[in-house]
Amino acid sequence: MKDQYFREISYFRISLTPVCNFRCIYCMPYNQSFDKVNLIPMEQIEQIIKVSAQNGIKKIRFTGGEPLLREGLLPLCHKISNKIGIDEICLTTNGSFLKDMAKDLKKVNVKRINLSLDTLDSKKFSDITRGGKLKSTLEGLDEALKLGFKVKINTVLMGGINVDEISNLVELTKELPVELRFIELMRMGVTKNWQEDVFVKNDIVLDKIKGLKQIGNFGVASVYKIPGYCGEIGLISPISSCFCENCNRIRMTSDGKLKPCLHSKEEFDICNLSKEQVEEKFKEAVFAKPFQHKLLRGESETNRTMNLIGG
Ligand code: SAM
Ligand code: SF4
């Protein structure tokens, strides 16, 4: 299905919950309350995915919050992995429950896992995630690789916090068959008022790591490699190298709002609708995709924090 700028939309990112066992400093406020969480039921998500598949969606990514915390994830994956036209089910996770869940995720045909890892220092990991354990995330990574998932590591670069670890993180690609993706910090939600010097451009990776060979642009990432290393390095640069022109995504929040863009204010309520109405709403949201986000001129237009959208 095409949007108003003739972009083919084939990738649906679905947030399953805003709840998370971490509270990363750049993602959610430390005191956000989850007393009343309004979740779109799994049966409705399944119906929406089926309709989306009939309208050109080929790839689904579950995210959150922490998607592994949502009850019913495994049966949902199982139901959509067969015969409805979805080619790939993917997941973005903080990795802390992955060691225990990876085998089950494999059984229900999850193919790709993106795991967030901003530092290799346990103390810093605990500080950034506000209490997370580096060891659990690394064990999750290990298990996912053992089981043969295609794994990408997401690292959000922050000036004064983890840029000193770029080389150490890149060294992970020496032995591990992963794409390590450096993501530029976006000014949205809790980071709206952060100081300018925390927002570093991905060029810093090219400055610090000598000998990177560019192997191409794939989706939103420019991908590089150190010759002889097993893995790759991806640069996702929404600010310094905007990729909106080639955007193929549509999103749904865990409370059942379609979002034409991660950064848009506009939302389309897709809860409690008939199949025909879901299809109409889906087409409307796709058509409404903006040409470009407004980050280049300052900050995101959305009032939601990242965990309330699904990164
Ligand atoms: N809990 C899962 C995780 O951490 O991977 C999935 C949800 S999380 C919101 C998805 C991704 O969004 C993570 O890789 C996280 O680093 C990224 N993220 C959160 N806030 C961000 C921000 N302000 N700028 C850039 N990336 C951000
Ligand atoms: Fe949780 Fe992921 Fe947000 Fe961190 S980035 S608080 S792990 S949702």
Side-chain angles (χ1 to χ4, degrees):
M1 190 192 300
K2 287 198 168 51
D3 73 359
Q4 60 181 312
Y5 301 104
F6 306 103
R7 291 173 295 199
E8 193 69 51
I9 307 306
S10 57
Y11 182 10
F12 193 10
R13 295 172 70 106
I14 299 174
S15 172
L16 293 178
T17 177
V19 178
C20 189
N21 55 319
F22 291 179
R23 281 176 185 258
C24 298
I25 51 173
Y26 49 73
C27 176
M28 64 196 283
Y30 73 96
N31 57 353
Q32 194 171 81
S33 163
F34 293 125
D35 289 347
K36 285 193 198 128
V37 177
N38 179 22
L39 297 177
I40 180 168
M42 282 303 206
E43 303 74 53
Q44 289 188 38
I45 298 179
E46 185 189 338
Q47 186 203 37
I48 294 164
I49 292 174
K50 283 182 178 156
V51 170
S52 76
Q54 287 157 7
N55 286 278
I57 294 297
K58 296 280 171 218
K59 174 171 167 182
I60 300 283
R61 176 173 302 278
F62 292 119
T63 179
E66 177 46 48
L68 297 186
L69 286 174
R70 177 79 192 258
E71 214 173 300
L73 166 68
L74 296 170
L76 176 66
C77 292
H78 180 65
K79 284 181 194 147
I80 62 166
S81 66
N82 291 319
K83 298 184 207 129
I84 68 161
I86 298 296
D87 294 341
E88 257 184 355
I89 307 174
C90 318
L91 194 78
T92 302
T93 173
N94 65 33
S96 54
F97 304 108
L98 201 50
K99 185 177 174 213
D100 293 335
M101 289 186 68
K103 277 201 182 80
D104 291 335
L105 291 166
K106 189 88 192 169
K107 280 188 206 146
V108 295
N109 278 322
V110 172
K111 291 279 183 288
R112 294 176 181 270
I113 294 182
N114 286 12
L115 179 136
S116 300
L117 179 69
D118 301 323
T119 172
L120 293 171
D121 178 290
S122 324
K123 163 81 171 70
K124 216 190 275 182
F125 188 90
S126 170
D127 290 346
I128 293 174
T129 59
R130 295 199 180 98
K133 300 260 179 294
L134 174 65
K135 187 167 174 275
S136 323
T137 292
L138 291 180
E139 285 173 354
L141 169 64
D142 198 39
E143 184 69 10
L145 288 172
K146 259 192 220 145
L147 292 173
F149 284 99
K150 291 182 179 155
V151 178
K152 290 178 181 162
I153 296 176
N154 287 346
T155 301
V156 177
L157 277 180
M158 290 167 281
I161 298 182
N162 63 352
V163 287
D164 58 329
E165 289 195 65
I166 292 174
S167 311
N168 288 349
L169 287 157
V170 165
E171 280 307 294
L172 288 176
T173 68
K174 189 170 189 178
E175 308 288 346
L176 302 181
V178 295
E179 183 183 316
L180 170 72
R181 315 179 108 195
F182 291 106
I183 301 174
E184 285 178 346
L185 178 69
M186 292 180 273
R187 199 179 272 287
M188 58 190 295
V190 282
T191 62
K192 271 195 175 168
N193 299 318
W194 279 22
Q195 276 170 239
E196 199 49 49
D197 53 1
V198 190
F199 296 84
V200 288
K201 293 190 178 141
N202 264 339
D203 285 354
I204 194 168
V205 177
L206 302 176
D207 290 345
K208 282 193 184 264
I209 309 295
K210 301 296 168 210
L212 283 178
K213 294 271 170 296
Q214 184 158 19
I215 54 176
N217 292 319
F218 302 100
V220 296
S222 297
V223 182
Y224 298 78
K225 197 174 172 70
I226 297 186
Y229 279 31
C230 188
E232 289 155 3
I233 291 130
L235 301 185
I236 303 186
S237 315
I239 298 140
S240 66
S241 178
C242 176
F243 41 74
C244 299
E245 199 184 331
N246 300 317
C247 185
N248 64 349
R249 305 161 174 210
I250 177 99
R251 296 169 181 266
M252 185 170 74
T253 62
S254 55
D255 55 350
K257 308 285 187 289
L258 288 177
K259 274 184 92 68
C261 166
L262 173 64
H263 298 289
S264 54
K265 236 192 193 126
E266 206 175 359
E267 298 183 350
F268 295 79
D269 193 340
I270 198 165
C271 298
N272 302 314
L273 300 179
S274 68
K275 185 172 174 283
E276 291 70 31
Q277 289 167 325
V278 165
E279 183 157 20
E280 210 173 291
K281 198 58 78 178
F282 195 80
K283 287 181 176 165
E284 212 183 313
V286 166
F287 192 75
K289 274 179 72 63
F291 184 64
Q292 205 173 66
H293 60 65
K294 305 260 175 16
L295 285 177
L296 307 175
R297 275 175 265 151
E299 59 184 42
S300 178
E301 279 179 284
T302 182
N303 292 325
R304 290 179 181 248
T305 53
M306 189 67 115
N307 69 306
L308 295 179
I309 305 173

